[in-house]
Amino acid sequence: MHPSNAVPVLRTDVLDRANARDLQRRHRAGEVVRVRHGVYVEAAAWAALDERARHLVRMRAVLPLVRAGSMWALDSAGAVLGVPRIEPWPAQAHVFAPDLDADRRRVGLTMHAEHPVRSGIEFHGVGVTELAQTVVGLARRGSLCTAVVSLDHALRSGVPEEELRARAADAGPWGAARVEQALRRCDARHESVGESWFAARAGQLGLRGLVPQHVFVAPDGTIDRVDFWLPDEGVVVEFDGRQKYDDPDMLQGRSASDVVWAEKIREDRLRARPEVRTVVRPRWWHLVDPERLRALFRMHGVRCR
């Protein structure tokens, strides 16, 4: 069960005015957080949730507004399906609703006039759109970076590229160019959200010939697989995230200092290769602002757009 499901949702009741007044008093005192009009959660429980979990609670808050036959879609389907996100979660929940001629917006809920494809998953009794339709919808509406991160997640999850293209074609011409642009930068070999985001930024900076998960073989047979290789520039790119030094699964019984030492030896081995001119290590901080990433590559003598 996701942690958000364990958070009680407190609703006002027109038949119990005393309860409504009590919740309003507790809201003024900071004891509860108002999720939408008439819907509250305990402040301590809300503070313990991450942004994705808070969106899931907002979805529960608008359940009385969801029409029969609707399905959670777009950002809300992504929250249920675990689609990674690099932008803030929206305050609005989203559904595809039947029998609508145009989108309709209520406080906390947007109902879209689109035809859903069911995933077989439900969240609090409401169906969820399938992964391919979800990520294509996000790609059509979002930035290039959002599109690449979302579509790459589907590719890593086993959705064929042909299926993504078919869903994009079914959705019509609006946003199709963005999906096509993103798919040219997507690759199932991108192993993390950071690598997907970097690939999108690299396209924006005009870094050509980017090869993901390139393998170098040393004379003694040692294999070094790098996140990205720019052969025309002689540049190895290793995306640096704290997870490799904090996550027990990635540490595999080693200490963080052991990992840092092993990385140093590995990087020395890569720099000793005649075709490698330098190693660049962008971090999440660089991806947030493309100017930072551009400056980093220029420091290493790499031309950027």
Side-chain angles (χ1 to χ4, degrees):
M1 181 177 68
H2 193 273
S4 65
N5 287 329
V7 176
V9 172
L10 311 173
R11 300 181 188 271
T12 58
D13 185 345
V14 294
L15 301 180
D16 189 349
R17 294 183 179 179
N19 176 61
R21 288 194 297 270
D22 182 60
L23 285 172
Q24 292 164 1
R25 177 193 61 77
R26 295 187 65 200
H27 177 245
R28 290 192 297 270
E31 297 174 5
V32 296
V33 173
R34 185 165 61 191
V35 180
R36 68 177 304 273
H37 179 71
V39 184
Y40 303 82
V41 297
E42 298 287 346
W46 183 258
L49 298 175
D50 61 21
E51 290 301 316
R52 172 177 171 248
R54 289 179 179 181
H55 186 80
L56 291 169
V57 172
R58 290 189 176 100
M59 291 163 61
R60 292 169 57 198
V62 299
L63 276 170
L65 305 178
V66 176
R67 302 170 67 174
S70 297
M71 288 191 196
W72 300 117
L74 302 172
D75 308 278
S76 298
V80 178
L81 298 174
V83 177
R85 191 175 185 87
I86 58 175
E87 296 168 338
W89 285 91
Q92 290 284 110
H94 294 266
V95 296
F96 287 163
D99 304 323
L100 287 183
D101 296 327
D103 294 356
R104 294 184 186 177
R105 187 181 177 94
R106 302 282 299 276
V107 176
L109 177 67
T110 300
M111 295 173 282
H112 300 270
E114 296 190 33
H115 300 292
V117 181
R118 183 180 293 274
S119 66
I121 297 172
E122 290 190 351
F123 181 76
H124 286 266
V126 179
V128 178
T129 57
E130 65 162 14
L131 181 58
Q133 186 177 34
T134 299
V135 298
V136 166
L138 293 172
R140 291 171 66 220
R141 291 166 170 82
S143 66
L144 175 66
C145 292
T146 290
V148 173
V149 167
S150 301
L151 295 168
D152 256 356
H153 172 75
L155 291 174
R156 285 194 296 270
S157 301
V159 178
E161 182 177 332
E162 296 74 20
E163 184 174 348
L164 296 175
R165 291 186 181 278
R167 289 284 173 260
D170 291 343
W174 181 79
R178 172 52 51 79
V179 175
E180 178 58 35
Q181 188 181 38
L183 283 172
R184 288 199 295 268
R185 290 164 175 80
C186 288
D187 196 307
R189 291 174 292 176
H190 299 153
E191 293 184 336
S192 67
V193 176
E195 290 181 24
S196 297
W197 195 359
F198 173 77
R201 287 293 193 215
Q204 292 175 327
L205 297 185
L207 300 180
R208 299 181 180 278
L210 194 68
V211 181
Q213 302 303 317
H214 183 74
V215 172
F216 292 98
V217 182
D220 64 357
T222 301
I223 295 176
D224 292 311
R225 184 162 55 91
V226 300
D227 293 338
F228 296 98
W229 169 235
L230 283 165
D232 293 342
E233 301 281 353
V235 172
V236 167
V237 181
E238 292 280 68
F239 179 74
D240 256 350
R242 286 196 59 172
Q243 189 178 20
K244 67 170 70 173
Y245 308 109
D246 295 340
D247 188 337
D249 291 336
M250 297 189 72
L251 289 171
Q252 296 180 337
R254 301 171 296 172
S255 67
S257 60
D258 289 338
V259 173
V260 171
W261 181 249
E263 284 285 308
K264 179 187 182 304
I265 293 173
R266 177 175 177 270
E267 186 166 319
D268 289 344
R269 191 164 55 238
L270 289 168
R271 289 181 184 275
R273 300 187 66 92
E275 68 269 41
V276 175
R277 180 174 63 81
T278 189
V279 177
V280 181
R281 289 185 170 272
R283 307 189 310 275
W284 202 270
W285 181 81
H286 294 100
L287 301 183
V288 172
D289 184 348
E291 290 303 309
R292 297 172 186 166
L293 191 63
R294 181 178 285 108
L296 176 67
F297 275 93
R298 284 179 173 167
M299 287 171 54
H300 286 82
V302 179
R303 293 164 296 176
C304 298
R305 189 163 52 213

